[in-house]
Amino acid sequence: MDAYRIVGGKSLEGVIEIGGAKNAALPILCATLVEKGTYILKNVPALKDIKTLSKVLEKLGLQVENLDKNTLKVVNTGLDSVEATYDLVKTMRASFTVMGPIIAHEKKAKVSLPGGCAIGARPVDLHLKGFEALGCEIQIHHGYVEANAKELKGARIVLDFPSVGATENIVMAAVKAKGTTVLENAAIEPEVEDLCNFLVSMGAKITGIGTSKITIEGVEKLTPGEYTIIPDRIEAGTYLVLSILSKGKVKVRGAIREHLDSFLAKLEEMGCEIKEDKDLMWIETAIENLKPVRVKTLPHPGFPTDLQAQMMTLMTLVGGTSEIKETIFENRFMHVPELNRMGAKIKTDGNSAWIEGVKQFDSAEVMASDLRAGASLVIAALFAEGETIVTRIYHIDRGYEILEDKLIKLGAHIERIKVEGV
Ligand code: UD1
């Protein structure tokens, strides 16, 4: 299996480019199931998760082709199947988001339950309540969810929690339903907004985009076309941590500031001065001058759970005791024992973590337990004394486009090696 061998302590310098947002590209790719036609999607990140979803779409009867590294052409000439099987869905929970668009197209769907996941139970009850409200009869057997509707009818749906996936699935199921759907307590993440903007670009009638009340007036037909995916705010946040640790020599290109508001506000509270020039963003404030802070992950516009692990790596090098409360996912502290193997002093109790600052990370052999946890370990390793091996980097490949190439360009000593077992 692939692992990273990282020799820390090299000084990093240069500009790092932000790719397209994985979490916007995935639901937008799913949305090509809604209507027949040809789609051109630009700024799609070249990631394992995108390949996995492309396979799911191909199994359903779509043709997916790379026109260049970051441009996908998707042709929908009708679906061959309405079934997304376990072997594909189990590898990536986000593929459950094909359910809404298949229902919109065919008024029925059969999709495997995503199953357990490293960062918590992650049920799909909110998705299913939404489909039911739109007129689907839902049955669950043998690990599959089956939906059947005589007709999809607009409805008022109030989500118990602003789930990103449920909002996306319900919006897509509703775009061609009869009448008006009002979705309250909807997720307002920029990726949800991007999906809605994509659907509107095809002629969907959606208002309240970017707010917690989304109104969808069903239309008979949509007109596929071309769309450019927004930049990845989580990738940007990850690399801003690198910027701080490199004393501002690493600059980040292409981030959208508003998408990073709560993250940047926390950095400012720590004492960081955010510098911007045209499309570049960087932070020169010395780590010694930063203060500990308390962070609570929340739905957007709160602090994103997907930047929690990277923030913890930063906090480890800040004097005093910082605190993180994870409220979105249970069991999302799996990077803690790994960071502690690298000399961090982090204690956890339930969904809270206390991070006591240390002067430096030690090198060690560590394991990536999920995508963002993996990123936090790579950052720690880049600034550790000596050689660190990060195993299970297939998690990192799911969400960071050619990470080692980008880091090598900055002067990092990082290479992909093969290791036995894990
Ligand atoms: C998406 C992102 C993920 C991010 C998360 C929160 C994608 C592909 N993934 O995941 O990177 O960390 O948003 O910003 O976009 N829940 C339920 N019932 C449901 C649905 C969700 O209880 O039907 C719970 C989940 O278990 C979890 C919480 O709601 O505890 C948040 O989940 P959700 O917002 O749905 O996240 P995802 O869409 O899975």
Side-chain angles (χ1 to χ4, degrees):
M1 243 174 216
D2 284 5
Y4 279 141
R5 190 175 83 87
I6 299 168
V7 181
K10 307 281 166 205
S11 63
L12 305 186
E13 184 164 0
V15 172
I16 196 156
E17 309 271 345
I18 302 308
K22 167 178 92 73
N23 287 352
L26 290 171
I28 287 174
L29 260 173
C30 290
T32 64
L33 288 162
V34 174
E35 189 67 83
K36 285 184 190 173
T38 299
Y39 301 78
I40 305 290
L41 302 178
K42 295 184 167 175
N43 205 29
V44 179
L47 299 172
K48 185 88 192 304
D49 272 7
I50 299 291
K51 288 217 168 68
T52 306
L53 183 61
S54 299
K55 268 195 214 144
V56 177
L57 298 183
E58 281 168 353
K59 275 241 168 146
L60 292 165
L62 270 51
Q63 290 113 55
V64 186
E65 182 192 341
N66 262 93
L67 295 184
D68 61 43
K69 186 165 76 67
N70 298 114
T71 308
L72 285 185
K73 177 177 168 189
V74 183
V75 181
N76 177 345
T77 50
L79 306 190
D80 295 342
S81 156
V82 295
E83 185 172 334
T85 50
Y86 177 63
D87 55 325
L88 290 168
V89 177
K90 73 170 180 205
T91 59
M92 191 181 62
R93 181 186 155 84
S95 39
F96 193 76
T97 317
V98 296
M99 187 139 195
I102 300 176
I103 292 173
H105 200 287
E106 298 287 331
K107 298 191 180 61
K108 59 180 179 185
K110 182 177 175 186
V111 178
S112 167
L113 281 166
C117 163
I119 55 173
R122 304 180 97 175
V124 290
D125 53 321
L126 303 172
H127 303 236
L128 303 187
K129 276 189 202 157
F131 297 150
E132 268 174 342
L134 293 171
C136 292
E137 196 187 300
I138 301 286
Q139 283 183 326
I140 300 179
H141 36 227
H142 309 300
Y144 279 80
V145 182
E146 268 190 75
N148 283 289
K150 284 200 184 72
E151 185 179 49
L152 290 168
K153 269 197 195 147
R156 179 168 177 270
I157 301 164
V158 184
L159 291 180
D160 295 346
F161 176 85
S163 152
V164 171
T167 301
E168 293 169 345
N169 239 339
I170 295 167
V171 168
M172 288 190 276
V175 276
K176 287 168 72 180
K178 265 219 168 100
T180 303
T181 299
V182 178
L183 183 58
E184 307 245 26
N185 200 23
I188 58 169
E189 269 69 1
E191 294 77 18
V192 175
E193 215 179 315
D194 208 33
L195 168 69
C196 290
N197 287 334
F198 168 66
L199 292 167
V200 167
S201 78
M202 294 204 286
K205 288 196 176 153
I206 307 176
T207 54
I209 295 174
T211 76
S212 57
K213 182 177 175 182
I214 301 178
T215 303
I216 306 129
E217 219 183 287
V219 293
E220 292 238 326
K221 197 161 167 42
L222 299 169
T223 315
E226 193 178 297
Y227 193 76
T228 303
I229 313 288
I230 53 167
D232 197 311
R233 66 193 164 106
I234 305 303
E235 195 189 9
T238 305
Y239 295 141
L240 278 173
V241 173
L242 272 190
S243 180
I244 300 170
L245 297 178
S246 71
K247 301 187 175 63
K249 291 198 183 113
V250 170
K251 296 188 165 83
V252 175
R253 172 171 284 144
I256 297 180
R257 194 183 167 113
E258 306 82 74
H259 291 176
L260 284 159
D261 272 347
S262 57
F263 177 66
L264 296 179
K266 263 304 152 193
L267 294 183
E268 281 173 336
E269 193 186 322
M270 288 173 106
C272 291
E273 196 190 328
I274 321 283
K275 301 223 165 170
E276 279 180 278
D277 184 20
K278 298 193 187 92
D279 58 352
L280 292 180
M281 202 183 278
W282 70 99
I283 297 152
E284 288 167 8
T285 318
I287 188 98
E288 300 79 47
N289 296 335
L290 299 187
K291 296 188 298 282
V293 290
R294 297 168 81 170
V295 163
K296 189 172 174 184
T297 63
L298 287 167
H300 194 77
F303 191 96
T305 175
D306 286 351
L307 282 172
Q308 180 253 104
Q310 303 87 316
M311 186 63 159
M312 194 179 275
T313 294
L314 176 64
M315 286 169 158
T316 298
L317 298 174
V318 171
T321 303
S322 302
E323 194 180 326
I324 292 183
K325 196 164 194 178
E326 171 60 56
T327 77
I328 305 295
F329 293 115
E330 77 260 36
N331 201 17
R332 205 179 191 177
F333 282 147
M334 279 177 305
H335 41 287
V336 169
E338 305 304 305
L339 289 172
N340 282 344
R341 284 172 59 77
M342 297 184 73
K345 289 188 181 162
I346 307 167
K347 286 196 190 112
T348 59
D349 182 10
N351 65 350
S352 292
W354 293 268
I355 305 105
E356 193 187 322
V358 297
K359 284 265 170 295
Q360 202 174 6
F361 281 109
D362 292 334
S363 52
E365 196 165 312
V366 289
M367 191 174 82
S369 52
D370 73 53
L371 164 55
R372 307 303 170 186
S376 73
L377 296 176
V378 169
I379 300 173
L382 289 171
F383 295 91
E385 271 289 301
E387 180 183 298
T388 295
I389 305 290
V390 184
T391 58
R392 300 200 180 178
I393 60 169
Y394 56 86
H395 286 298
I396 301 176
D397 292 335
R398 289 186 42 206
Y400 289 90
E401 189 175 320
I402 43 165
L403 179 65
E404 65 263 42
D405 289 3
K406 286 188 180 182
L407 295 175
I408 287 167
K409 277 195 195 132
L410 301 176
H413 189 143
I414 174 169
E415 61 177 318
R416 193 174 279 257
I417 57 168
K418 294 270 176 217
V419 291
E420 292 284 313
V422 282

